[in-house]
Amino acid sequence: MALPQTRKLALATATALALLTAGLAWQASAADGSGDGSGRPGSGGKGTVSDTVSGERVEHAPGAAGDHWTPERMRSAEPAPMPVLPGT
């Protein structure tokens, strides 16, 4: 029995989405570095990282940048150079 065209399209779309989802899940689990899919770096592997998070509050004075970017400097500013691919 032949499938109607719309059924074939729906089946192909569902298969493609399933493969895409599986591929993205595999890539995400490989990217976390642990290999166990937990999302925690180093969990269960060599060179485990502590689960303790520490930090310190750093405050920056906005005056330093504001003092540097005078109206004259803003007028004469040029965009930063963008990277160019070799051969283009």
Side-chain angles (χ1 to χ4, degrees):
M1 178 170 123
L3 293 175
Q5 187 67 22
T6 54
R7 279 261 165 122
K8 289 179 186 177
L9 181 60
L11 185 59
T13 302
T15 303
L17 287 174
L19 289 173
L20 177 65
T21 303
L24 290 175
W26 172 78
Q27 187 177 19
S29 69
D32 72 13
S34 66
D36 65 357
S38 69
R40 293 186 320 221
S43 61
K46 291 188 261 181
T48 55
V49 177
S50 171
D51 287 340
T52 305
V53 176
S54 64
E56 61 184 73
R57 185 175 177 90
V58 178
E59 294 189 25
H60 300 279
D67 293 340
H68 175 76
W69 288 106
T70 63
E72 294 81 26
R73 282 189 171 153
M74 288 295 289
R75 280 192 291 275
S76 65
E78 295 182 13
M82 293 289 108
V84 178
L85 293 174
T88 56

